[in-house]
Amino acid sequence: MRINKPLLLILYQLPGLPLAEGYTRLMKHLGFTNLTALEALSLMWITKPSWVLGILAFLGVSAWESLLVYYSTKLWGSDYLPLKGMLVLMTCQALIFSIYGILGGQHDLVQSVSGNYVHASAAAFGGLIIGYTLEKFIIKKQ
């Protein structure tokens, strides 16, 4: 059976869910942010944060982000993929927080400076992992 490469990248990204949630939950506990990654993603649909809906949101958003990173190699090439993955994920994270937080009136998503740093660094780390995974396991197999 042949597995589609974008689907494989989406599946490789799923273990990042506990890492992102654990990091942002620790930062929430330390007082740097008021939302975890899953709570922030759930606020795209509801007004109160829910980590259960955040899991579903993570699956959808991470799939789209993985597809963006994968197909961006056709536009930008496959050099420096971890940095390109970081750029794409940080941009997606900023767009989600801006569109739903500021334009959508979801005031919980409007973060302080430290909250923005926490979520941006989580997105940057996730982008590095996606880019590295794409470079190491999918592009090199060709």
Side-chain angles (χ1 to χ4, degrees), residues 50-69:
S50 166
W51 65 270
V52 176
L53 185 59
I55 292 172
L56 295 173
F58 179 84
L59 296 175
V61 169
S62 66
W64 281 107
E65 291 169 346
S66 297
L67 290 174
L68 281 173
V69 172

Side-chain angles (χ1 to χ4, degrees), residues 5 22 26 30 42 48 56 68 90 99 116 118 120-121 130:
K5 289 181 183 178
L26 176 66
L30 294 175
S42 72
K48 301 272 191 225
L56 295 173
L68 281 173
M90 288 181 75
I99 290 171
N116 281 327
V118 166
S121 62
I130 288 177

Side-chain angles (χ1 to χ4, degrees), residues 69 73 77-86 127 131-132 134-135 139:
V69 172
T73 60
S78 60
D79 297 333
Y80 306 108
L81 276 176
L83 295 177
K84 291 175 185 175
M86 184 175 72
Y132 177 76
L134 179 62
E135 185 176 63
I139 297 292

Side-chain angles (χ1 to χ4, degrees), residues 4-13 65-86 88-89 126-142:
N4 200 356
K5 289 181 183 178
L7 176 65
L8 194 59
L9 182 63
I10 290 169
L11 293 176
Y12 282 159
Q13 186 186 353
E65 291 169 346
S66 297
L67 290 174
L68 281 173
V69 172
Y70 179 79
Y71 287 113
S72 71
T73 60
K74 310 243 185 284
L75 180 66
W76 293 336
S78 60
D79 297 333
Y80 306 108
L81 276 176
L83 295 177
K84 291 175 185 175
M86 184 175 72
V88 169
L89 258 67
L128 288 171
I129 290 174
I130 288 177
Y132 177 76
T133 303
L134 179 62
E135 185 176 63
K136 183 79 173 169
F137 298 112
I138 296 176
I139 297 292
K140 297 295 182 191
K141 285 185 178 180
Q142 295 179 357

Side-chain angles (χ1 to χ4, degrees), residues 6-59:
L7 176 65
L8 194 59
L9 182 63
I10 290 169
L11 293 176
Y12 282 159
Q13 186 186 353
L14 292 180
L17 173 64
L19 294 173
E21 180 65 9
Y23 171 69
T24 55
R25 189 168 294 272
L26 176 66
M27 292 297 126
K28 181 181 178 181
H29 179 73
L30 294 175
F32 290 111
T33 185
N34 60 347
L35 294 171
T36 66
L38 295 179
E39 290 173 345
L41 287 173
S42 72
L43 288 175
M44 292 190 294
W45 290 288
I46 57 175
T47 57
K48 301 272 191 225
S50 166
W51 65 270
V52 176
L53 185 59
I55 292 172
L56 295 173
F58 179 84
L59 296 175

Side-chain angles (χ1 to χ4, degrees), residues 97-107:
F97 274 65
S98 296
I99 290 171
Y100 292 100
I102 297 168
L103 298 177
Q106 224 12 310
H107 299 294

